[in-house]
Amino acid sequence: MAIFNLSHSALSLDQLFKPSSPALVGTDIGSSSVKMVELVKLGKGQFRLLRYAIEPLPQAALVDGDIANLDMVITALRQCHKKLGSNIKNLALALPIANIITKTVIIPSTDSQNELDAEVERAAHEYIPFSIDEVNLDYQVLGSAQNHTDDIEIFIAATRRDHVDDLVAVVEGAGLKPIIIEIDQHVNRIAYELIEAALPNHGRNLNIAIAHIGASAMTVQFFRDGQLLNSLDNPIGGSHLSGLISKTYGLSYTEAEQAKRKRKGLPENYINDVLQPFMDGVLNELERSISYLYSNTSTQNIDRIILTGGCASLEGLGQYIAEHTGISTAIGNPFRDMKSSKYIDTQKLLIDAPLLITACGLALRGFDA
Ligand SMILES: Nc1ncnc2c1ncn2[C@@H]1O[C@H](COP(=O)(O)OP(=O)(O)OP(=O)(O)O)[C@@H](O)[C@H]1O
Ligand SMILES: [Mg+2]
């Protein structure tokens, strides 16, 4: 199985990673904030959360997932690392979802790795709208194709090289070192393993949907026994709700963000006129993803929905989704079974946890070797 670590990267960032390297700070640059997580390994599969930090990013810093203003991102990275208070400068990072083109394709089954690579490259050529020389490509075998036992289903992920170059530039510009660059979807799978531990019977024999709802997008990933069944991206996120609040009530974007989180200073009609349509939008996209899964795979039921990303903390969203889908819904907390340093405010961590999942998954990558 190919690992989603951009191993086909011309930069070969992975090669810089040595088993003897010190721990890495998991760093997630999202469209609304930079998040850093530092873990310590206590024993096999046991970690302690040592530190974390969140630094807001101005709206103009990332546009459509692209780093649009390098200086803004450099400043936020520097600030975030300062807040973190760690002396570890080695970072594990993820490319934002918007920078990654994903496609599930069906190709003939083969035992030869070379043939598989060639088939994937041919399929990528067909589906990825850039020259193959301009992209970093990776893939994962999902399993046998439905109704075609001689074919296999492949999940392809590709990113333009200049996205990787920009990421390296901002990290180095902040005086930090990029050691690992992953794709977002894979990191969430690593962190999923932590969430899985909280499920009945460790999630065994259950079909799980993880809806990761950030500021600009929602990614829905379906898993069974740790295997990714499918991954779909939807263009809805918390920034849409903040934008709507700002427009409806004449608030600045920052004021709207604060009002949304604290549910303070908003008129009575907020719930019906603004929040409800947003929650409906999330529900519709989620149901569409589930229908897609049912029509395109043999999976015909979902046992549990887990919400992650900043919007998972939106009051009432989990309950709304559970009521309307009839599927048991929970909020994902990657730190649930982890001890944390005594300096961490546990109440605050409970609210921040779902949006730290990517940074947490990245921090875990430091212990892979
Ligand atoms: N406590 C909260 N209540 C409601 N919404 C919240 C809360 N905390 C964060 N959010 C919202 O979650 C979003 C940020 O989530 P997250 O940090 O996962 O996104 P991101 O990584 O910055 O964005 P993306 O991954 O889409 O580029 C913002 O829209 C923010 O307003
Ligand atoms: Mg994000």
Side-chain angles (χ1 to χ4, degrees):
M1 186 181 79
I3 309 166
F4 282 0
N5 57 4
L6 298 180
S7 51
H8 303 241
S9 159
L11 283 161
S12 294
L13 283 157
D14 229 32
Q15 286 174 12
L16 298 176
F17 177 69
K18 308 238 167 41
S20 59
S21 297
L24 303 173
V25 173
T27 305
D28 172 20
I29 306 175
S31 55
S32 70
S33 63
V34 173
K35 286 98 84 170
M36 290 186 176
V37 166
E38 187 182 340
L39 303 176
V40 209
K41 189 167 183 170
L42 301 176
K44 196 171 177 289
Q46 282 192 312
F47 304 91
R48 179 195 293 138
L49 171 64
L50 199 58
R51 306 178 174 90
Y52 78 90
I54 303 168
E55 177 67 22
L57 268 174
Q59 269 192 298
L62 265 72
V63 175
D64 295 333
D66 284 328
I67 298 178
N69 186 315
L70 270 68
D71 287 339
M72 283 179 179
V73 181
I74 289 173
T75 306
L77 275 169
R78 229 183 248 138
Q79 267 311 109
C80 197
H81 194 257
K82 199 169 149 196
K83 261 189 200 170
L84 187 74
S86 171
N87 54 14
I88 295 173
K89 294 193 167 185
N90 291 344
L91 308 189
L93 300 126
L95 277 168
I97 284 170
N99 284 176
I100 300 155
I101 303 162
T102 58
K103 186 89 199 158
T104 303
V105 294
I106 292 172
I107 62 169
S109 174
T110 169
D111 290 335
S112 150
Q113 185 63 46
N114 287 346
E115 269 176 35
L116 187 61
D117 287 347
E119 275 297 330
V120 168
E121 216 165 286
R122 192 195 50 72
H125 207 63
E126 201 171 313
Y127 294 110
I128 309 256
F130 303 109
S131 148
I132 210 83
D133 305 331
E134 291 172 38
V135 298
N136 292 331
L137 189 68
D138 218 329
Y139 62 89
Q140 186 180 32
V141 178
L142 297 178
S144 299
Q146 200 191 5
N147 305 331
H148 296 276
T149 44
D150 290 343
D151 292 342
I152 46 173
E153 235 179 356
I154 302 272
F155 180 68
I156 298 181
T159 184
R160 286 216 332 257
R161 291 221 163 103
D162 47 1
H163 293 314
V164 180
D165 294 346
D166 280 352
L167 193 53
V168 170
V170 290
V171 172
E172 291 180 346
L176 303 165
K177 234 173 128 186
I179 301 290
I180 289 178
I181 297 183
E182 279 278 9
I183 71 164
D184 231 33
Q185 289 96 329
H186 179 51
V187 182
N188 292 340
R189 196 183 66 80
I190 299 171
Y192 164 73
E193 286 165 22
L194 289 171
I195 288 174
E196 197 181 41
L199 296 169
N201 200 17
H202 282 238
R204 226 157 289 145
N205 301 327
L206 295 181
N207 297 330
I208 311 286
I210 299 203
H212 182 84
I213 318 164
S216 60
M218 161 161 102
T219 301
V220 184
Q221 294 190 298
F222 299 101
F223 290 93
R224 185 178 175 88
D225 296 332
Q227 286 295 314
L228 178 70
L229 302 173
N230 220 321
S231 174
L232 294 137
D233 297 334
N234 307 272
I236 189 160
S239 67
H240 300 108
L241 178 56
S242 304
L244 215 57
I245 294 172
S246 152
K247 206 169 109 195
T248 311
Y249 303 115
L251 301 174
S252 72
Y253 188 84
T254 314
E255 287 166 342
E257 270 285 320
Q258 281 167 358
K260 172 176 86 171
R261 290 179 196 218
K262 302 205 168 109
R263 285 257 178 125
K264 274 195 185 141
L266 291 168
E268 253 179 44
N269 71 351
Y270 166 66
I271 307 257
N272 286 337
D273 292 359
V274 180
L275 182 64
Q276 192 67 38
F278 173 75
M279 295 210 292
D280 280 337
V282 170
L283 180 70
N284 283 344
E285 293 296 335
L286 181 58
E287 286 183 329
R288 255 166 34 130
S289 298
I290 294 174
S291 301
Y292 181 89
L293 182 82
Y294 292 172
S295 331
N296 290 283
T297 68
S298 54
T299 305
Q300 294 303 312
N301 78 301
I302 294 296
D303 297 296
R304 191 156 298 210
I305 295 169
I306 293 169
L307 302 179
T308 62
C311 291
S313 300
L314 188 66
E315 213 184 306
L317 182 63
Q319 199 185 342
Y320 188 75
I321 288 175
E323 276 169 15
H324 286 79
T325 56
I327 301 170
S328 158
T329 303
I331 294 175
N333 177 355
F335 307 113
R336 184 185 166 273
D337 292 331
M338 245 186 235
K339 293 188 169 59
S340 59
S341 143
K342 60 179 180 190
Y343 301 109
I344 289 175
D345 175 343
T346 43
Q347 282 310 309
K348 193 166 180 317
L349 178 62
L350 217 54
I351 297 168
D352 291 337
L355 73 77
L356 293 170
I357 191 160
T358 306
C360 178
L362 285 162
L364 282 174
R365 280 287 272 118
F367 304 104
D368 273 3

